[in-house]
Amino acid sequence: MAIPAEGETIQIHSYKHNGRIHRVWQETTVLKGTNNIVIGANERTLVTESDGRTWLTREPSICYFHAEHWFNIICMLRDDGVYYYCNVSSPFVYNNGSLKYIDYDLDVKVFPDMSYTLLDEDEYEDHKRQMGYPDVIDQILHRNVEKLIGWIKQRRGPFAQDFIEVWTNRYEFHRQNRIRD
């Protein structure tokens, strides 16, 4: 698998289990790219929905993707603190300038005080029936929801106290370099 380079601008493509595109983020700056982890950042990036509707993200975000975990984490930097939107998803793949994953509907929203809410359980059950999620996928996804909640409680990965500061500073470095170029 190719690896995106630090400073490179990539797209993020979210698919559904049936192979159909779900959503595309047009521009994300890579802050770290390895075989297992991609950390990116974006701000006011254009997002295109599967039905063609578009919108701009509202705030700067740090995005965390892992090639072995069945979730990704979007850290939204707002005036009143960091909010996290965690997508239960397939591990990512990267090719042709795009990071790609399958969105499996379940989401965990985490608030600045680290309280959290599991979202979209009804949507998950509907899509599980409609798209025929295999039992093994269902089990993997539920295990990864538990793993994700463990990370939240333990302040691991993107939930660690210094994660946002380190990667926000790195994003600012790349933004300043882009302005100078």
Side-chain angles (χ1 to χ4, degrees), residues 34-155:
T34 71
N35 283 326
N36 286 329
I37 294 174
V38 172
I39 298 173
N42 60 51
E43 181 176 8
R44 299 193 53 77
T45 193
L46 183 67
V47 179
T48 304
E49 301 286 342
S50 60
D51 63 5
R53 289 181 301 123
T54 60
W55 52 277
L56 287 175
T57 59
R58 294 183 301 194
E59 61 268 313
S61 295
I62 306 295
C63 311
Y64 175 91
F65 298 91
H66 203 286
E68 295 177 359
H69 299 306
W70 287 67
F71 52 80
N72 61 66
I73 302 166
I74 311 304
C75 314
M76 298 171 289
L77 313 177
R78 296 183 178 161
D79 291 339
D80 61 338
V82 179
Y83 290 77
Y84 302 83
Y85 200 87
C86 311
N87 296 292
V88 177
S89 67
S90 68
F92 79 88
V93 296
Y94 177 77
N95 65 355
N96 297 325
S98 298
L99 183 144
K100 302 171 184 180
Y101 66 90
I102 299 170
D103 181 295
Y104 279 105
D105 314 308
L106 290 172
D107 301 304
V108 178
K109 184 173 184 180
V110 184
F111 300 90
D113 66 357
M114 290 295 150
S115 62
Y116 59 88
T117 304
L118 182 61
L119 304 171
D120 302 329
E121 292 174 277
D122 291 342
E123 180 183 1
Y124 174 78
E125 290 301 325
D126 288 346
H127 284 167
K128 179 180 165 185
R129 277 190 303 281
Q130 292 168 9
M131 296 183 215
Y133 298 172
D135 287 342
V136 67
I137 294 290
D138 184 59
Q139 293 165 9
I140 289 168
L141 298 174
H142 282 93
R143 273 198 313 271
N144 275 268
V145 167
E146 294 306 314
K147 182 186 293 185
L148 179 60
I149 289 169
W151 280 28
I152 295 163
K153 290 178 178 179
Q154 297 167 17
R155 305 282 198 278

Side-chain angles (χ1 to χ4, degrees), residues 13-17 19-23 100-103:
H13 295 189
S14 169
Y15 294 85
K16 286 297 184 183
H17 184 79
R20 293 192 177 132
I21 193 76
H22 172 55
R23 188 172 287 143
K100 302 171 184 180
Y101 66 90
I102 299 170
D103 181 295

Side-chain angles (χ1 to χ4, degrees), residues 152-169:
I152 295 163
K153 290 178 178 179
Q154 297 167 17
R155 305 282 198 278
R156 287 189 58 196
F159 307 104
Q161 194 166 6
D162 64 342
F163 181 91
I164 296 299
E165 183 179 347
V166 166
W167 296 108
T168 301
N169 288 341

